[in-house]
Amino acid sequence: MYDYDLLVVGSANADLVISVERRPAAGETVLGGDLAVHPGGKGANQAVAAARLGARTALLARVGDDGHGRLLLDSLRSAGVDTASVSAGGAPTGVALITVDPSGDNSIVVSPGANFRLDAGDVRDAERLVRGSQVVSAQLEIPLETVAEVVRTLGDGNRFVLNPSPPRPLPAEVLAACDPLIVNEHEARVLLGDALTGEDPEDWARLLLDAGPRSVVVTLGAEGALVCDASGVRRVPPVKVNAVDTTGAGDAFTAALAWKLGSGAELAEAAAYAARVGAAAVTKRGAQGSYPTAAEVDALGAGGGTPDDTKDGGR
């Protein structure tokens, strides 16, 4: 019996969000709306999203001993996340500067702050927590060596999920542990680099799987997602909603997918549920404040909920 359904090892940021009519070009200044400050960071976002869905969730992270850090801790605790392994102090809380255009698309610049103080020693100190969690999820807004130490600390029964954002080349030991590796189109292109051939996301998924992960998920925004494992590539249809703000939607998707996998769902089934969670999140502004409860996800109905097989060339 595991103590937690999901342990998230990752970042916690304050999101500073401004709505703009359009994002500025180089050297250009544009006027935006009022500044809004929200709790965010890919790690904290995933933890809150999973907890709101009902998962027993813990977060291993670092924040500053400052107002932004207190904002984050309050949000995590109010969602039901165990914050016993969130350390405070040593550096300012990480900050994400976000612009959102009228279509809901965003651009983000992150100042890591305390997130880059989360090191391999913190992971070793949390070995019991890591091994006591059904699924362990990580991202790359913390040092890559910290993520590698998470992989080394996993027990035989733990499942590891990675969203390599912001993307960078991954060592073989990290890739080999991913089940799944979750990427969007931009992240897929960066990870594949010179290996990228053509514009077919199904080919990207196969190439990424060949690089070493046990399974791969490629998210395609309004086009849904692809899941890929040894059985082939399958498509997860999109869930149609009116998007207001896409900030944090990918984190909601990852959290829901990780939780469902831990509860025994097959990859395609878990991705279909995660698509509904991500769709619900984009109908509200902000990241953590937009994340749905399980009841709100159910209210979306089953639209986009059944994956369909994609031709896989016999592979």
Side-chain angles (χ1 to χ4, degrees):
M1 180 67 179
Y2 290 97
D3 297 324
Y4 297 95
D5 300 316
L6 178 64
L7 168 65
V8 182
V9 183
S11 59
N13 295 325
D15 288 349
L16 278 56
V17 184
I18 300 178
S19 296
V20 294
E21 286 301 314
R22 59 181 178 81
R23 290 185 286 275
E28 181 185 16
T29 299
V30 299
L31 294 178
D34 292 339
L35 175 69
V37 181
H38 304 290
K42 299 190 75 64
N45 285 352
Q46 289 182 16
V48 168
R52 294 204 69 189
L53 291 170
R56 297 171 300 156
T57 308
L59 176 65
L60 176 60
R62 284 188 174 272
V63 298
D65 184 13
D66 51 31
H68 287 155
R70 289 186 286 276
L71 171 72
L72 282 155
L73 287 169
D74 287 346
S75 178
L76 290 159
R77 290 165 181 161
S78 66
V81 177
D82 187 328
T83 61
S85 294
V86 179
S87 302
T93 300
V95 172
L97 307 176
I98 304 172
T99 59
V100 182
D101 70 16
S103 73
D105 285 334
N106 61 62
S107 296
I108 305 174
V109 178
V110 174
S111 172
N115 294 310
F116 267 31
R117 305 306 200 275
L118 186 70
D119 59 24
D122 293 315
V123 176
R124 289 191 290 270
D125 290 344
E127 178 180 357
R128 183 173 178 179
L129 174 62
V130 172
R131 297 195 172 193
S133 302
Q134 179 93 49
V135 180
V136 180
S137 177
Q139 328 77 38
L140 297 185
E141 288 183 340
I142 57 176
L144 182 55
E145 175 55 31
T146 305
V147 176
E149 190 64 28
V150 172
V151 168
R152 299 178 195 123
T153 306
L154 295 170
D156 291 339
N158 301 123
R159 186 164 189 163
F160 180 66
V161 175
L162 177 66
N163 171 218
S165 178
R168 70 192 79 167
L170 298 173
E173 67 174 328
V174 172
L175 279 169
C178 296
D179 192 15
L181 175 74
I182 304 175
V183 296
N184 62 21
E185 295 175 71
H186 168 67
E187 292 151 4
R189 290 177 182 275
V190 172
L191 290 184
L192 287 171
D194 293 339
L196 183 68
T197 56
E199 295 296 319
D200 187 346
E202 294 169 26
D203 291 337
W204 305 348
R206 296 185 190 100
L207 287 168
L208 286 167
L209 188 69
D210 289 344
R214 301 177 191 181
S215 59
V216 172
V217 175
V218 181
T219 60
L220 301 172
E223 300 304 314
L226 295 172
V227 300
C228 181
D229 57 19
S231 67
V233 181
R234 284 154 290 170
R235 182 171 290 276
V236 178
V239 179
K240 301 297 185 182
V241 293
N242 293 321
V244 173
D245 182 0
T246 61
T247 304
D251 301 326
F253 179 97
T254 298
L257 179 74
W259 175 51
K260 279 296 185 181
L261 289 172
S263 67
E266 295 296 326
L267 181 61
E269 177 189 356
Y273 181 80
R276 291 164 61 190
V277 174
V282 303
T283 63
K284 300 177 184 177
R285 295 203 176 275
Q288 294 177 24
S290 74
Y291 293 154
T293 63
E296 289 170 332
V297 176
D298 291 342
L300 277 180
T306 303
D308 58 7
D309 291 335
T310 299
K311 298 292 184 182
D312 195 27
R315 298 167 111 185

